Amino acid sequence: MSNKYDVIFFYSGIPLPAMLEVVDHASKIGKKCLLIIINRGSKDLLIDSALVNYDVRTINVTFGSFGQRVISTLNLLPKCLAIIFNNLQRSGIVMSSNFDTLLLAWIARFFKKFELRHQIRDLHQLQLSGGALAKLIQSIEKLIIKRVSILIVSSFGFVTAYYSKIYNGQIVVVENIPRKSVWNNFSKKQFGVQPFVIGFIGVLRYKKSLFRLIRAVEKLSDDGFQVRVKFAGGAMGDEAIELKSYINNLDIFDFSGPYAYSRDIKNLYSDVDLIFAVYDEYDLNCRVALPNKIYESMITKIPVLVAQNTYVAQRVDELKIGVAVAIDEPEDLYKKLLAIFEKGPNWYDTSAGALQNDLTSELYNEYDRAIARSVES
């Protein structure tokens, strides 16, 4: 029996839960899998080793400026080539996950025959902007992506915004839906129990948006409303210190660090009444991405706040499971939150009602089919 792998995954950064589902499915259908995590130093979700039934290796790199990224990619080249040459079965599969790993795999194909597939979690600003450097990167990607047999994206918005212009092959949409079994027996406190808890569960970023949340909640607290905010996730070092410096009343804010999604997520959401997912609408990727917060909303039946003028805002509006906030109008967030506590019908009650419908069954069925198409021959 060969000790070589049928599939080698090169994931840059800690992979999202849906990305790990692809690896897990490949392993379950009998493919021997190796997951290479290119650790960029970002403190993201932790991987629950209890759920891993494949080999995992980590390569540490330094990503900072564009120049550092180029140097790191060049340093990765011999390591990745060696991994592919020494460990991949003849005619196996290599799964890349961003421009850097796609380029490395493209180069490797000149020396070893394998099938190249490409799964992306986000779009980079350079893929969506129009400067000279962006156009150069886009031209290179248009050339090298021709070698890709299957492109796997987490949002159809990525296709309409970018990939439809450079790729003509097979596309599979694997939305970033959390593993279904992780949420078995999830239970939540009853709505209406004080205090009202707003949850920002995930990597701590988009500071402007978070500062607005802090100011809005402090204002609500000053107005006499019982409300708290729970922050949980990676990158809780300098960012948390900076956020705390803006807070006048630490008693209404909770901070915790990185968590293992499959182990901790149910507990983190058990007392949350509103999911805060107001990312930056001016971030080009955020405009077209579908963050897993929309799916966590459907699973937990907790309404969600998102940013206006984004693809996820369109989906939230279609499903009536939350409301969009204008991030360039500082008072809009406060007004949307205040409406929850005022008497009479409001967007929050409407959203909570819509979430009582079964919004996930067909979603998971299509998700399972997409996962299978991603890795099966």
Side-chain angles (χ1 to χ4, degrees):
M1 182 177 177
S2 173
N3 290 323
K4 294 191 174 183
Y5 296 94
D6 300 301
V7 191
I8 298 179
F9 297 82
F10 287 93
Y11 284 163
S12 181
I14 303 300
L16 298 174
M19 299 175 77
L20 294 177
E21 285 270 25
V22 173
V23 190
D24 186 62
H25 180 80
S27 180
K28 285 181 178 178
I29 63 174
K31 295 183 183 293
K32 188 175 181 181
C33 298
L34 171 62
L35 171 59
I36 303 295
I37 295 178
I38 299 173
N39 181 16
R40 303 173 302 190
S42 58
K43 297 177 181 178
D44 208 327
L45 301 179
L46 303 176
I47 295 179
D48 189 345
S49 58
L51 297 178
V52 172
N53 55 358
Y54 42 82
D55 294 335
V56 181
R57 301 181 194 173
T58 300
I59 302 175
N60 295 318
V61 298
T62 300
F63 271 13
S65 66
F66 180 78
Q68 287 178 318
R69 183 164 183 168
V70 171
I71 293 171
S72 294
T73 301
L74 292 174
N75 290 335
L76 277 173
L77 180 58
K79 297 178 182 178
C80 292
L81 290 179
I83 289 170
I84 292 172
F85 295 161
N86 298 330
N87 295 278
L88 185 66
Q89 290 272 19
R90 183 183 296 274
S91 299
I93 297 172
V94 170
M95 184 82 77
S96 55
S97 62
N98 67 348
F99 178 85
D100 308 67
T101 55
L102 175 61
L103 179 61
L104 295 171
W106 179 79
I107 294 171
R109 278 196 90 250
F110 284 99
F111 305 98
K112 184 181 179 76
K113 183 180 179 181
F114 58 84
E115 182 182 354
L116 176 56
R117 303 184 185 184
H118 187 48
Q119 180 177 16
I120 58 117
R121 59 188 288 174
D122 291 304
L123 290 179
H124 193 277
Q125 299 291 324
L126 289 174
Q127 292 171 301
L128 296 169
S129 55
L133 179 58
K135 290 180 179 179
L136 174 62
I137 296 297
Q138 292 164 17
S139 297
I140 295 172
E141 186 167 16
K142 185 176 182 179
L143 171 66
I144 63 180
I145 204 170
K146 292 178 181 178
R147 295 271 190 171
V148 169
S149 61
I150 299 177
L151 173 65
I152 305 149
V153 299
S154 60
S155 168
F156 192 75
F158 294 165
V159 178
T160 56
Y162 181 63
Y163 284 108
S164 61
K165 303 171 187 175
I166 68 167
Y167 182 71
N168 297 317
Q170 182 180 353
I171 297 176
V172 177
V173 181
V174 177
E175 298 187 53
N176 192 30
I177 306 171
R179 185 191 295 259
K180 189 175 184 179
S181 60
V182 168
W183 292 92
N184 287 342
N185 303 315
F186 170 74
S187 61
K188 189 198 167 308
K189 72 172 188 181
Q190 293 182 343
F191 287 102
V193 176
Q194 299 296 328
F196 185 89
V197 178
I198 301 169
F200 185 90
I201 314 296
V203 180
L204 197 61
R205 52 185 175 177
Y206 309 115
K207 285 186 270 190
K208 283 186 179 180
S209 180
L210 297 183
F211 291 154
R212 288 196 180 99
L213 174 62
I214 289 170
R215 289 191 289 268
V217 169
E218 287 185 331
K219 188 173 180 180
L220 287 169
S221 179
D222 291 341
D223 292 341
F225 298 105
Q226 295 185 52
V227 58
R228 294 181 63 85
V229 179
K230 174 190 286 190
F231 295 103
M236 296 290 289
D238 293 341
E239 291 86 351
I241 294 172
E242 188 174 352
L243 284 173
K244 288 178 181 178
S245 71
Y246 278 78
I247 293 172
N248 295 313
N249 183 1
L250 276 170
D251 291 339
I252 59 176
F253 298 95
D254 294 322
F255 289 85
S256 59
Y259 54 90
Y261 193 93
S262 57
R263 183 192 65 206
D264 302 326
I265 195 66
K266 285 191 296 187
N267 182 59
L268 288 171
Y269 272 113
S270 63
D271 63 347
V272 170
D273 298 295
L274 177 64
I275 298 171
F276 187 81
V278 183
Y279 303 151
D280 186 355
E281 71 177 71
Y282 299 110
D283 181 299
L284 299 177
N285 179 72
C286 289
R287 291 183 187 177
V288 294
L290 275 180
N292 63 355
K293 304 308 162 200
I294 185 175
Y295 308 111
E296 290 170 350
S297 171
M298 288 187 271
I299 293 167
T300 61
K301 303 188 180 301
I302 300 171
V304 61
L305 272 176
V306 297
Q308 284 184 359
N309 303 317
T310 58
Y311 184 50
V312 68
Q314 295 178 31
R315 291 286 296 272
V316 167
D317 183 61
E318 290 167 2
L319 296 168
K320 308 299 181 187
I321 60 173
V323 72
V325 173
I327 66 169
D328 56 351
E329 297 178 19
E331 285 300 305
D332 189 49
L333 175 58
Y334 172 75
K335 291 176 182 177
K336 295 284 172 53
L337 293 176
L338 181 62
I340 299 172
F341 301 98
E342 294 178 333
K343 293 182 179 180
N346 58 64
W347 68 266
Y348 183 85
D349 293 337
T350 300
S351 301
L355 283 161
Q356 299 312 304
N357 299 318
D358 181 6
L359 301 176
T360 60
S361 292
E362 182 51 36
L363 199 63
Y364 272 112
N365 289 337
E366 177 52 35
Y367 176 74
D368 291 339
R369 293 190 288 267
I371 290 284
R373 290 197 299 270
S374 299
V375 290
E376 293 179 6
S377 301

